């Protein structure tokens, strides 16, 4: 995997166990810095997204972490094999700590301290946020957690759920809604829970079923520019 040195902002590749690092999860905006631009920092610094990298690096260093991982620039998205491997595996690295920040890097709180707010806004039970095994929750309920998510690529609505269901499947951009059908098929191969096939109803009491029937679209926490910083690797 590739990590960014929090002091120099240069990319380094690790072929064995990486050093402890922090992760930035964020809402993508204009002029994000791709992997290719990180080869020339002067060029990368011209893009708006570079400020996010700098902010993440500062927070990491202040928390004692010398390395950071950011999806926009640590994955070579021109390689379909690398992109597929990254998306299929990234859920396997759950952080011990999560801190939320505004776009101006004001600390908004931790996952533990904000669990009531997060549960209310996302519909995710506090037990799940606290680390209870996701397999204990019905399939349709887990689907509902992403009921307000939006993605630029239609296929990403299915691909972003792979880790929640412990499913691995190849990424085929261009397949459109077929990606969600393949996701359901993979879930059914691994589980006897048929709630994923429930028809949806537009009522407050059918949250889980409503996700499956409609267009799955994640609530941006706090505002469209909110982001969170995770550590503990």
């Amino acid at each position: 995997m590739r990590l960014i040195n929090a002091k120099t902002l240069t990319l380094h590749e690790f072929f064995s166990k990486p050093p402890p690092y922090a992760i930035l999860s964020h809402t993508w905006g204009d002029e994000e810095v791709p992997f290719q631009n990180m080869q020339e920092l002067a060029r990368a610094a011209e893009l708006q997204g570079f400020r996010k990298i700098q902010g993440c690096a500062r927070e990491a260093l202040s928390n004692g972490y010398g390395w950071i991982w950011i999806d926009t620039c640590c994955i070579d998205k021109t390689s379909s094999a690398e992109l597929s491997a990254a998306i299929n595996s990234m859920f396997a690295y759950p952080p011990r700590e999560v801190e939320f920040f505004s776009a101006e890097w004001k600390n908004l709180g931790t996952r533990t301290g904000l669990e009531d707010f997060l549960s209310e806004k996302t519909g995710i039970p506090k037990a799940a946020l606290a680390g209870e095994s996701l397999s204990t929750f019905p399939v349709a309920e887990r689907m509902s957690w992403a009921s307000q998510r939006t993605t630029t690529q239609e296929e990403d609505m299915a691909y972003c759920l792979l880790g929640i269901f412990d499913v691995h499947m190849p990424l085929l951009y261009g397949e459109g809604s077929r990606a969600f059908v393949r996701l359901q098929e993979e879930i059914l191969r691994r589980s006897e829970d048929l709630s994923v096939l429930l028809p949806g109803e537009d009522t407050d009491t059918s949250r889980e079923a409503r996700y499956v029937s409609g267009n799955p679209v994640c609530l941006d926490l706090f505002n469209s520019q909110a982001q969170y910083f995770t550590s503990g690797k």
Side-chain angles (χ1 to χ4, degrees), residues 4 9 11 33-41 44 50 53 73:
I4 300 170
L9 301 186
L11 273 173
V33 181
F35 165 74
Q36 285 73 20
N37 285 40
M38 287 297 290
Q39 315 307 312
E40 300 179 38
L41 289 181
F50 192 71
I53 299 174
C73 51

Side-chain angles (χ1 to χ4, degrees), residues 50-67:
F50 192 71
R51 291 193 292 272
K52 270 194 267 191
I53 299 174
Q54 293 174 309
C56 180
R58 285 194 302 269
E59 288 298 330
L61 290 171
S62 70
N63 281 272
Y65 291 90
W67 300 90

Side-chain angles (χ1 to χ4, degrees), residues 81-127:
E82 180 173 329
L83 179 60
S84 182
I87 292 179
N88 274 280
S89 64
M90 65 176 60
F91 198 82
Y93 306 101
R96 291 194 296 268
E97 301 173 11
V98 179
E99 296 180 48
F100 291 85
F101 294 84
S102 70
E104 293 73 34
W105 288 97
K106 177 183 177 181
N107 193 309
L108 301 172
T110 65
R111 176 174 57 189
T112 301
L114 295 168
E115 65 176 10
D116 289 333
F117 175 85
L118 296 173
S119 182
E120 177 186 350
K121 292 298 183 181
T122 64
I124 301 175
K126 287 187 285 187

